[in-house]
Amino acid sequence: MLAQILAVSIFVIMFGLIILELFERQYITLVCGLLTLVLVFGLGLHSWSAVMETLNLKSIITLDFWYAAGESGESTSGINWATIIFIAGMMVMVEGMARVGFFRWLCMCLAKAVHYKVMSIFITFMLMSAVLAMFIDSITVILFLATVTIELSQLLKFNPLPMILSEIFCANLGGSATMCGDPPNIIIGTSFGYSFSDFICNTGAIAGISLIFIVIYFYFIFRKDYKNVQPVDISTMPSPKSAITDKKGFISSSVIFGLAVVLLVTHASTHLTVATIGLFIAIITLLTAPKHIPEILKKVDYKTLLFFIGLFVVIGGLEQTGILEIIAGFIGKISGGNVYLMIAIIIWVSAIASAFVDNIPFAATMIPVIQTLAASTGVPLTTMTWALSMGTDIGGSATPIGASANVVGTSVAGKAGYPVGWGKYCISAVPATIIVMVISTVYIYIRYL
């Protein structure tokens, strides 16, 4: 009982501090993780084995960790090192691409392709945001896309804010389509052994249908903002080639990105785990730019990686003390065994919670919960997995603080002189979130139940 009280107390304090943002979130999770190891496992459980299971270091030296994607299908207790290594590898690749101007070049090429017509750019950038976020972290996608959108707005004389808000939502939606598109999906995929194609065929289908409705929705609510924008002289626009800072590096980065996509799409067949793919891509990126290794490594977001490590330890405390089994039993009891109600609870509670708290710790918390629910109720784990994935990925789109991409996008807009308050953000994002959640719920009911 003492261990359970300590585990829950640490978890609640951690969540509260993350929401309040009094300290940087990686410090919060690392300190709470340390308290979990000392108080929960040491003082409460007196269990060294619980500490070792949660640190999970042994998994890294096993063959299955590097070569056996999707075969076990079992959730790993404690720190999910596959998630950490994969995200780190993708960060290195993205920094390599950013260094040579890849993202800026892509945006300028698309703008030129639609003859710099603002409404066409508006729709094209929404689609590009969704597609890029399927393979690259949505934070990076929005950081560069919002910056280029503001640059274009100054050249073409339009208000960039509606376009940025639409791009943010589409990035979160695109991220829900694949295993590597959004951190919650990476955690889910590595925990249950799902492949890239598993996500594409399930959450990808939902995201694809939803994207059609979302593009139409944003077109109608923002069309007035761009209806009267005057055309400009195309000859005065900068050439996309001017965005490339290193031609040789640009070619290398493009090839590496294509290789990463191929490896992710085929990893269920090659049996290379996402940890192997992430490490391999990082090494190749660094080897092709030896002079820029310090620069690339310096820009990697180590704070996020440390945040994940501390978070997994705290969640491990809840798992080792049986708290997550109690939560799963509570959800099963509320639903009364009604599978439709159970799925609705998972997807909508996930969405509402993720709108106000970081969806990463929420997803990490819910993974062992739905695993326990599946074992105790007989409802297929995959059905609950897709419900959890869509709920956490899309729910975070509803508010300015619900997902990291939202914070980054609104910050870029604010620095450029276009501040975004809660009211301005939510008036467009909340209805869009509800649209996707309704589509997701109906789709899951029809296809899986």
Side-chain angles (χ1 to χ4, degrees), residues 82 91 108 110 134 161 170 216 254 267 302 317 327 397 406:
M91 284 179 176
M108 297 302 293
L110 288 175
M134 292 171 65
L161 193 53
C170 288
I216 295 171
S254 300
H267 83 97
Y302 297 104
I327 296 173
S397 302
N406 310 6

Side-chain angles (χ1 to χ4, degrees), residues 46 158 226 319 341 380 398 416 430:
H46 305 289
F158 67 85
Y226 301 129
E319 190 171 0
L341 181 56
V430 170

Side-chain angles (χ1 to χ4, degrees), residues 138 165-176 182 214 218 350-357 359 390-407 410 422 424-434 436-437:
S138 57
L165 294 177
S166 304
E167 291 163 359
I168 290 171
F169 193 93
C170 288
N172 289 328
L173 182 57
S176 70
D182 211 29
I214 290 304
F218 280 122
S350 298
I352 294 170
S354 296
F356 299 99
V357 300
N359 60 2
M390 293 306 299
T392 51
D393 291 341
I394 306 303
S397 302
T399 65
I401 63 169
S404 299
N406 310 6
V407 178
T410 53
W422 272 67
K424 187 178 290 186
Y425 184 94
C426 294
I427 199 169
S428 64
V430 170
T433 302
I434 293 173
V436 178
M437 286 297 94

